Amino acid sequence: MRRKELLGLIILAALCVHPAAVRADSRAQKYYYEDIARPFFAPDPGRPGWYRSARPGAIESSFPAVKSTGTFRVFVLGGSIAGLLAYREAPGEFGKSLQAVLPSRKVEVLNCGMAGYESYREALIEQEILEYAPDLIVFLTGHNEGIASAPFPIWIMRAQERLSRLNAYRALVKTLQPDQA
């Protein structure tokens, strides 16, 4: 067997048995690996000049693209625990507490908490929200490290998806991982 053929078989075997591999049709793949490549907020088509949460599973929130004078804009980042600071009620208990401390300011609390998110995904959201003129960013994190963590290269999952259409690949998976076939 030539060297290139051997390398190809090693890569193919690795695609079959990688412990972090997620099946291509899995909702988890989309949630953890594909959605993070898209912006968390997007222009709101129903309200020109506004942004709204656009990620599936995100707590609904919206805000004007241009922060008005006197506004105190807060973003909450983290896993599902972050939802406790501003879940389904605007501005939530956290926002009400901030408003009491800052009575002369309009307080906006925008929740970017996502179930199962860990520091890698939160850092991606943080980079985006820095563009929206935050006055405060609150992190509630650390609970999900190790759960689907460390970005799994999406090209591997796409390769698995294509390879899974091949009988030879499915046979190899069945041989190497009988419980995954």
Side-chain angles (χ1 to χ4, degrees):
M1 187 175 290
R2 291 184 305 180
R3 198 173 206 178
K4 286 183 180 181
E5 291 170 339
L6 181 60
L7 179 60
L9 282 175
I10 290 170
I11 291 171
L12 184 60
L15 290 173
C16 294
V17 299
H18 194 286
V22 179
R23 291 284 177 247
D25 61 347
S26 169
R27 284 180 280 172
Q29 173 187 331
K30 184 169 178 21
Y31 183 80
Y32 286 111
Y33 302 107
E34 294 178 14
D35 288 344
I36 64 170
R38 297 181 187 104
F40 193 88
F41 292 101
D44 188 337
R47 294 169 76 182
W50 282 67
Y51 283 97
R52 63 173 174 77
S53 50
R55 189 151 307 163
I59 294 169
E60 290 183 29
S61 58
S62 62
F63 59 96
V66 177
K67 185 170 73 171
S68 61
T69 304
T71 297
F72 190 79
R73 186 172 284 174
V74 181
F75 289 90
V76 179
L77 290 176
S80 56
I81 190 76
L84 295 176
L85 285 184
Y87 187 64
R88 288 191 185 148
E89 55 178 275
E93 291 303 314
F94 179 62
K96 290 174 187 174
S97 297
L98 282 174
Q99 191 66 66
V101 174
L102 303 165
S104 64
R105 310 278 301 268
K106 177 185 182 250
V107 175
E108 292 177 345
V109 177
L110 302 150
N111 197 304
C112 304
M114 295 290 290
Y117 271 31
E118 56 10 272
S119 58
Y120 173 77
R121 289 164 183 83
E122 293 159 7
L124 294 174
I125 297 170
E126 177 194 18
Q127 291 304 307
E128 177 185 347
I129 66 174
L130 289 172
E131 299 173 18
Y132 305 128
D135 293 296
L136 177 65
I137 300 173
V138 177
F139 285 91
L140 284 175
T141 190
H143 306 294
N144 296 315
E145 298 304 317
I147 299 174
S149 120
F152 187 67
I154 211 164
W155 68 268
I156 290 178
M157 285 179 277
R158 289 188 177 140
Q160 285 177 324
E161 177 185 4
R162 288 183 184 99
L163 288 169
S164 68
R165 297 177 193 148
L166 302 174
N167 290 334
Y169 178 81
R170 289 194 303 269
L172 183 59
V173 169
K174 187 174 183 177
T175 301
L176 296 173
Q177 287 185 326
D179 60 324
Q180 296 290 319

